[in-house]
Amino acid sequence: MHLAIIQNFAYFLLLGFVTYSGFSTPISPKSSYHRSIFIGTALGVFSYLFISHPSILNDTYFPLDVDFSAGPLILAGYLAGPIAASIASLIGLSSQLWGGGPSPTLSGLTSASLPFLGVLVGYLRPYRQWLDINARVILASVLSLIHISEPTRRY
């Protein structure tokens, strides 16, 4: 379990490097479309990596597979808009359906809808320029990663 958490943390560091390099270059109106495609594909691939390497919690009443794919999926919609959300949604949906798991239909539907939640948050709380992201959006993205809690034990 600890190795999977360290590996997911390394994926988050690489994710930060990719998004920073994608947004730190100057932009023209034509390259905005290309940037959305790049960010959507990159964050979709990162969600695939998180889905394919879940952290398994065996110390609960029943084993839980916890993946951290919600963060990249929400960020794809928030940072790059509906084009990136569509690409990341398709990659997340296909990786959930292909990877199986306890309920691939429900997890696929969740992975398909999370990027569009990011688009909605981007319309409600837009960032003015790169590196000027609202702290509430960052807090909501971090808290969205903690979506599985330990069930109460009954004896």
Side-chain angles (χ1 to χ4, degrees):
M1 177 183 101
H2 298 295
L3 183 61
I5 290 174
I6 292 171
Q7 185 177 13
N8 286 334
F9 182 69
Y11 288 153
F12 272 120
L13 289 176
L14 188 59
L15 175 91
F17 174 73
V18 167
T19 55
Y20 180 76
S21 65
F23 278 100
S24 62
T25 57
I27 188 167
S28 67
K30 185 177 179 181
S31 65
S32 171
Y33 178 74
H34 297 293
R35 179 183 286 177
S36 294
I37 291 174
F38 171 71
I39 294 295
T41 304
L43 294 178
V45 167
F46 277 109
S47 71
Y48 169 75
L49 290 174
F50 286 128
I51 290 167
S52 63
H53 298 100
S55 300
I56 300 173
L57 302 174
N58 288 326
D59 56 346
T60 59
Y61 187 69
F62 56 92
L64 296 174
D65 292 345
V66 180
D67 64 12
F68 299 103
S69 64
L73 291 174
I74 292 173
L75 283 176
Y78 179 70
L79 293 176
I83 295 171
S86 301
I87 294 170
S89 175
L90 288 174
I91 293 173
L93 175 68
S94 62
S95 62
Q96 288 286 6
L97 293 177
W98 181 53
S103 95
T105 307
L106 180 64
S107 58
L109 181 65
T110 303
S111 292
S113 62
L114 282 175
F116 297 104
L117 176 67
V119 171
L120 178 67
V121 170
Y123 284 131
L124 295 177
R125 294 267 184 193
Y127 61 93
R128 304 282 185 258
Q129 68 183 61
W130 174 240
L131 296 179
D132 188 26
I133 298 175
N134 194 343
R136 291 181 186 168
V137 173
I138 295 172
L139 182 65
S141 298
V142 169
L143 291 179
S144 71
L145 298 176
I146 308 168
H147 62 275
I148 295 180
S149 62
E150 184 176 345
T152 57
R153 295 178 190 230
R154 297 179 189 190
Y155 296 102

